Amino acid sequence: MSTNQSSSNLDRWQLRSVLPVDHSLPVLAEVDVVVIGAGAAGVAAATVCAEQGLSVIIVERYGFAGGAAVAGMSGTICGLYLASDTSTAPEQVVFGFTERFRAGLAGRGGLTEPQRYGKTWTVAHDPHVWREVADGLLFNAGVRIMFHTVLTGVIMDGDVHRGVVIESNAGSVAIHAKRTIDASGDAAAVARAGWDYYFGDDGRIQNPTMFFRLGNVDTEAFWADYGDDTICPPKVTEQIVSERERGYDLPREKIWIFSTPREGELLVNATRLADSDGRMLNVIDPEDFTIAELLGRKQVRGYSDFLRRHLDGLQRSFVVDTGVEAGIRQTRSIVATTTLTNEQVLECEKPSDGIVRSPWPIELHDGARPKLHWLLDDYYEVPYLTLVPERGENIIVAGRCLGAQHEALASARVTAQCFEYGNAAGLATVISLASDTAYRDVDVTQLRARLAASGSAI
């Protein structure tokens, strides 16, 4: 049963969908592991499991991997570098599968050099190259890839997960699996089973956004005018506020603009999507998701027009594209065996069962401008058991749906960490199967040793 379902009318939808092990559906495959979702966490989890000799199927609704990074065009690998008031150069502190993927992008010319983002740095990627790197990792590892398929149910024996039901234009089939890794970002398998989850802070979640790319940019002139920080300078914020007071639809006044690996192109993070009456949009509800898409495209036109009129180098620019879907920052969070708290993030705690470092600020998108709380010259570590649902056996999550308080998630949800959640979930699955151990009882000392052997810094 879920809690804090948010202001969207989700009660009209039947969510829980459980089939018994003696169901009558055709069985597509019987495997060690099924991974739901091929975003950063899912690609990492599936690749790691398959490379360790497990049979793996990954299920993805689109015809490509990438999740929020590609379909949502978030476009950056945030969470790699320390924040600092004194350092003048980026210091990378997250490695492992994250570094493996980062290097794969860079090797194909699909990644920028680090760019200043306030007190830290980030890198931007080419979404097509992202897909190619993911394709190569999954295919070479021997993962069975099921694009254009969606999860519609779970197969259960009491509290024990035994597989999933997926659907496509071909119909419905079952996948029997010894372990399920829910890397959907939305805790789709957890929710379908009826296990507990929540939305943000008493139902209030972060705003979605609509990223877009501008082409035909004189980048030299632009950066000379804008400055070397991807977070906009005060003069741009003042111009947005002034235009808004004159009736322009520019609801967000602090915007971010990034270089991309393509010549003459910029990636823009400017929109703030809420309903016309200011109501928060919960994109789990397809009607809210639809509103986000419609308003997002409208705001993209407004912001691109504003940028052309006010900033050097953009006078002849045009919108290349937007994300395939609105960018999603937050939906369901699982009720986990352990919860990452706001205090743990603020205090940069490093618990004994930490599985990944995170130096990323609390980046809360809730209101006219994002709120940033920097973690200077330090980082926290995310506990392993935040990935393990409080109830349910043979299932683990990876990605932004981990168990975390609202502000903690505003830091922990970003791409670099999601790669490492997948890495940890994959290696925990290997240990769980080899020792016939429940996820909550996995030997964390062994897990951390395996993470370190994979190159992770913990």
Side-chain angles (χ1 to χ4, degrees), residues 275-302:
D275 205 352
S276 55
D277 61 0
R279 180 181 63 87
M280 178 205 74
L281 296 174
N282 185 339
V283 296
I284 288 294
D285 186 326
E287 287 199 289
D288 273 13
F289 211 162
T290 300
I291 292 168
E293 305 287 7
L294 296 172
L295 291 181
R297 286 189 284 272
K298 183 173 180 288
Q299 285 187 25
V300 164
R301 285 300 175 194

Side-chain angles (χ1 to χ4, degrees), residues 416-447:
Q417 283 61 49
C418 283
F419 278 125
E420 286 300 277
Y421 300 145
N423 193 11
L427 290 172
T429 299
V430 173
I431 296 169
S432 173
L433 284 169
S435 59
D436 192 24
T437 302
Y439 277 119
R440 62 179 50 83
D441 297 324
V442 161
D443 183 343
V444 178
T445 300
Q446 183 183 356
L447 175 59

Side-chain angles (χ1 to χ4, degrees), residues 282-321:
N282 185 339
V283 296
I284 288 294
D285 186 326
E287 287 199 289
D288 273 13
F289 211 162
T290 300
I291 292 168
E293 305 287 7
L294 296 172
L295 291 181
R297 286 189 284 272
K298 183 173 180 288
Q299 285 187 25
V300 164
R301 285 300 175 194
Y303 276 100
S304 62
D305 176 66
F306 166 83
L307 293 170
R308 274 192 297 272
R309 289 185 290 107
H310 286 280
L311 292 180
D312 290 350
L314 299 182
Q315 288 76 13
R316 301 183 66 185
S317 66
F318 58 86
V319 175
V320 176
D321 57 4

Side-chain angles (χ1 to χ4, degrees), residues 33 39 76 123 170 194 208 219 224 226 249 304 310 324 365 372 382 402 420:
V33 187
T76 56
V123 288
T219 51
Y226 189 81
D249 183 20
S304 62
H310 286 280
V324 174
H365 291 260
L372 291 170
V382 179
L402 78 160
E420 286 300 277

Side-chain angles (χ1 to χ4, degrees), residues 226-273:
Y226 189 81
D228 64 357
D229 193 337
T230 59
I231 300 176
C232 71
K235 68 172 184 177
V236 175
T237 294
E238 292 166 7
Q239 290 167 332
I240 292 172
V241 172
S242 176
E243 293 270 289
R244 189 166 64 206
E245 290 172 350
R246 293 167 54 201
Y248 285 88
D249 183 20
L250 303 170
R252 178 172 154 190
E253 61 197 46
K254 200 74 173 174
I255 67 173
W256 304 330
I257 300 179
F258 306 91
S259 293
T260 81
R262 298 176 178 178
E263 186 176 353
E265 184 180 87
L266 296 172
L267 174 69
V268 184
N269 179 354
T271 66
R272 182 177 67 85
L273 305 180

